[in-house]
Structure formats: structure tokens, C-alpha cells
Amino acid sequence: MAAGAQPREADAAWDIIELLFFAYRDFVGDPDAVLLKYAFGRAHHRVLHFVNRNPGMKVADLLDILNITKQSLGRVLKQLVDQGFIVQKEGAQDRRQRLLYATAKGEALSLKLAHLQTERINRAFGELGPGAHEAARRFLTAMIDSDNREGVLRQIARADRAKTRG
Amino acid sequence: MAAGAQPREADAAWDIIELLFFAYRDFVGDPDAVLLKYAFGRAHHRVLHFVNRNPGMKVADLLDILNITKQSLGRVLKQLVDQGFIVQKEGAQDRRQRLLYATAKGEALSLKLAHLQTERINRAFGELGPGAHEAARRFLTAMIDSDNREGVLRQIARADRAKTRG
DNA sequence: AATTTATGTCAGCCATGTTGACATATTTTG
DNA sequence: CAAAATATGTCAACATGGCTGACATAAATT
């Protein structure tokens, strides 16, 4: 396409755009039914997920990951703490920090939800050939903002270590 | 894992779960900046997208795709119509229907947003080898509810024909 | 003629995002 | 040490986009 020209129909990756929409919709839809029973929403799910994956994370780090304001986070975090899914502990080095940890109850719920989504993922990989997992990982990684990719991968690796260690 | 056992840490596909979260976040983030200038949100984007892709679609079909109530749709649809991005025409066979069409203005905006997302997709495929597009398409398709997959694929194929014809 | 269907609308509620202002405790810095 | 910066929390108000329930209209179907 010449510089400055309007995009034509055929230039758009309609298939991927729409498949991503539907795939993501079903993917996040799985946990919704379970969350309903706890009177929680997707916001709670996201918070619980990342706290469980990164035990002892700072509130500021969570805000960065979720990309929301502290006021928005505050509301759902308070509910999760009040209902015993998450605890906050004063930082050892920096006592201003309120480090976040999932309780046993919180971890159980987080795992339950992750397992639901994992079933969908494994079902998909089972239908596709070997190498599908690696291909999906590479595709999704390449879809992330390049100036963010490193951080995300580091975060995932760090979380894997943290949870394997524990 | 034995039947009835609790899911263990290692059983969860953490990498895919989190990569999908971040990839989708960046993917839908691209259009947001543009939509801001029109005082539109993601709800408007979704409506405009599917109407543009499926000229003459029924309101009921749009509701099925978006999986929202007619009241929710009504709000954003009214704004899109009032501002000249979408028109509604009485059905020829069934005059109860209000068939939906994107105007030239609506098509231009829809294409602009799709092009933004396509740039990200093509950038990703450019970084990966050949076959990445096909692999992504297969992965995303397999992630969709199996009892829905056929319908989604048919819908995409139909839309391709409709827009290529026009 | 009666019923069903496609669509629209009013009213109100809820979840979750936002901004702005301000408070408190703690750490860091000049 | 005093002052400034940082980490977190909180109050208040508001916007978006979901939801339910009730009801209205026109057109098609039975």
C-alpha cells in the first residue's frame, strides 16, 4: 500500500481480528460462572490471579500490571481481603509497603479458575499437533507491545520460579 | 491427575493464560486512542466492526454475536446512527426488521481501527516464520467453544464474501 | 382475529473504570 | 534534623456499559 493511502478491505487481517475476539470471549467466559457463586467479577479474578502468581508483590506492581487506578483496585482488593482470599503484610525492608499474598482459600480459588482455562487450552493443543503450544506462545508473545514484551516474559518466568519454589 | 484430585500448580498453562491476557490487552488498546477522539468506547467499536463486516445484518444477529441485551446495544447503536456511522433500513421481505449498514463514514472508521490492529498482527507474523498465520488461525479457532466454532467460521467466511463482492 | 416475532424504549440497578483532593506513615535527601 | 519524596489508602463524584423488568408498536404468522 502506498504511503498515505487509505487501507483497503483486503489489507485487514479480518480472520485473526475476529477469531481473537471470539476466542478471548470464550476463554474469559469459563471462569465467569464460577465467580458468580462468589459474587465476584472479572476484576476480582484478575487481582487474585496475579497476587497468587506473585506472592509478596507490591500494590504498585499490581497497579502496573492491571493498568488501573488505585481507587479501582482498592474496591475489589478490599473485598478480597475482607473475605479472606488475600492478606496484606507490611514490607520487611520498606514498612510503607503492603505486600500481597493469597491465602490458602485464595490460592484454591485461583487454581480452580486457572484450571478451567487450562482445560480449554489443553483441549485446543490436543486437537492440534505437537508444536502447537510453542507456536501459540510465540504468536501471543509477538502480539504484545515490543517495549513491554521483555517485562512480561520476565514476570511470567519469575512467577513460575516463585510458585515452584513455594 | 487422578479423578477428583485438586489441580496442582504445574497443571495450569500459566504461560498461555497470561500471554493471552497481555496480548489481548495490547490488541484492543490500539483502537482505544482513536476511539477517544470520537468519544466512543469499545462497545461502539464492536458494533461498528460487525455491522461493517456484515452489511444488512439483523439487529437480532448482532445481539447474538455480541452476547448483550438489546437495551445495552440500543444505547451505543443509537449514538452510531445519530452520528451517521450506521444506517438502518427496513427489511424487504420482512418489514419488521431494521437491517444495519455502515455508512461511508462508518466504514472509514471501522477500516481505520481494523488497520491499526492489522498492523500489530502483521508485525507479529513478520517476526515469526511463514506458517505463523495459519498456526495462529488454527490455535484461535481451537480455543473457541466447539459448539460455536462452525458458526464463527461460517460467519467470517460469509463476511469475507460480502465485503469482497461489494 | 389472535398470537408471535422483531424491534424499540423507559426506568433503575450494578460493576468497574475514571479524576481530583487529601491523609498517613515511612523513607530518602539536602 | 528538617524537608521532600514515596507507598498506600480513602472520600466523593462521575462515566461507561453491562443487567433486569415492564411495556409499546408494527408486521408476520397461525
Side-chain angles (χ1 to χ4, degrees), chain A:
Chain A
M1 192 170 66
Q6 289 304 308
R8 285 173 297 116
E9 299 287 348
D11 288 331
W14 297 113
D15 58 342
I16 301 296
I17 291 175
E18 298 191 354
L19 287 172
L20 201 37
F21 171 79
F22 290 110
Y24 195 79
R25 181 139 82 68
D26 289 348
F27 172 70
V28 298
D30 284 334
D32 283 358
V34 175
L35 289 163
L36 258 187
K37 296 191 298 185
Y38 294 82
F40 286 155
R42 282 184 203 168
H44 301 86
H45 184 190
R46 289 194 289 267
V47 169
L48 182 58
H49 173 97
F50 285 108
V51 169
N52 179 49
R53 278 276 288 168
N54 302 278
M57 79 187 306
K58 294 192 300 173
V59 169
D61 291 339
L62 186 52
L63 288 174
D64 277 351
I65 286 180
L66 297 178
N67 223 2
I68 58 175
T69 59
K70 61 179 172 179
Q71 294 91 331
S72 293
L73 173 60
R75 232 171 347 208
V76 295
L77 183 53
K78 189 176 189 313
Q79 296 174 310
L80 287 166
V81 169
D82 286 351
Q83 296 179 44
F85 291 87
I86 289 179
V87 287
Q88 298 183 277
K89 297 182 188 173
E90 192 172 75
Q93 297 83 17
D94 188 334
R95 289 167 45 224
R96 289 170 303 183
Q97 297 172 348
R98 295 295 120 87
L99 306 184
L100 303 167
Y101 297 86
T103 62
K105 186 179 171 189
E107 178 169 21
L109 177 54
S110 182
L111 276 180
K112 189 176 184 175
L113 299 171
H115 191 64
L116 268 183
Q117 297 186 305
T118 299
E119 277 179 352
R120 176 181 298 273
I121 293 168
N122 285 341
R123 204 182 308 127
F125 290 156
E127 291 172 17
L128 309 172
H133 190 143
E134 185 56 25
R137 195 202 324 263
R138 279 161 49 83
F139 165 62
L140 293 174
T141 303
M143 288 286 288
I144 297 173
D145 280 351
S146 57
D147 60 350
N148 222 267
R149 221 172 279 170
E150 280 301 305
V152 168
L153 293 180
R154 239 183 296 116
Q155 196 260 319
I156 292 178
R158 192 179 340 115
D160 283 342
R161 285 201 311 280
K163 297 298 291 184
T164 305
R165 214 178 40 228

Side-chain angles (χ1 to χ4, degrees), chain B:
Chain B
M1 190 168 67
Q6 289 305 309
R8 287 173 296 116
E9 299 286 349
D11 287 331
W14 297 114
D15 58 342
I16 301 295
I17 291 176
E18 297 191 355
L19 286 172
L20 200 38
F21 172 78
F22 289 109
Y24 194 79
R25 182 141 80 68
D26 290 347
F27 172 71
V28 298
D30 284 335
D32 283 357
V34 174
L35 290 162
L36 257 186
K37 296 191 299 189
Y38 295 81
F40 286 156
R42 283 185 202 167
H44 301 86
H45 183 191
R46 290 193 289 266
V47 170
L48 181 59
H49 173 95
F50 285 107
V51 169
N52 179 50
R53 279 276 287 170
N54 301 279
M57 79 186 306
K58 295 192 299 173
V59 169
D61 292 340
L62 186 52
L63 288 175
D64 277 351
I65 287 181
L66 297 178
N67 223 2
I68 58 176
T69 59
K70 63 178 172 179
Q71 294 92 329
S72 294
L73 172 61
R75 235 175 342 211
V76 296
L77 183 55
K78 189 176 189 313
Q79 296 174 308
L80 287 165
V81 169
D82 287 350
Q83 297 179 43
F85 291 87
I86 289 179
V87 287
Q88 298 183 276
K89 296 182 189 174
E90 191 173 74
Q93 297 84 16
D94 188 334
R95 289 169 47 225
R96 291 171 302 181
Q97 298 172 347
R98 295 294 120 86
L99 306 183
L100 302 167
Y101 297 86
T103 62
K105 186 179 170 188
E107 179 169 20
L109 176 54
S110 182
L111 277 180
K112 189 175 183 176
L113 299 172
H115 191 63
L116 268 183
Q117 298 186 305
T118 299
E119 279 179 352
R120 176 181 299 272
I121 292 167
N122 286 341
R123 204 182 308 127
F125 289 155
E127 292 172 17
L128 308 172
H133 190 144
E134 186 56 26
R137 194 199 327 258
R138 281 161 49 82
F139 165 61
L140 293 174
T141 302
M143 287 286 288
I144 298 172
D145 280 352
S146 57
D147 59 349
N148 222 268
R149 223 172 278 170
E150 280 301 304
V152 167
L153 292 180
R154 238 183 298 115
Q155 196 260 319
I156 292 178
R158 190 178 343 113
D160 284 341
R161 285 200 312 279
K163 297 297 292 183
T164 305
R165 214 177 40 228

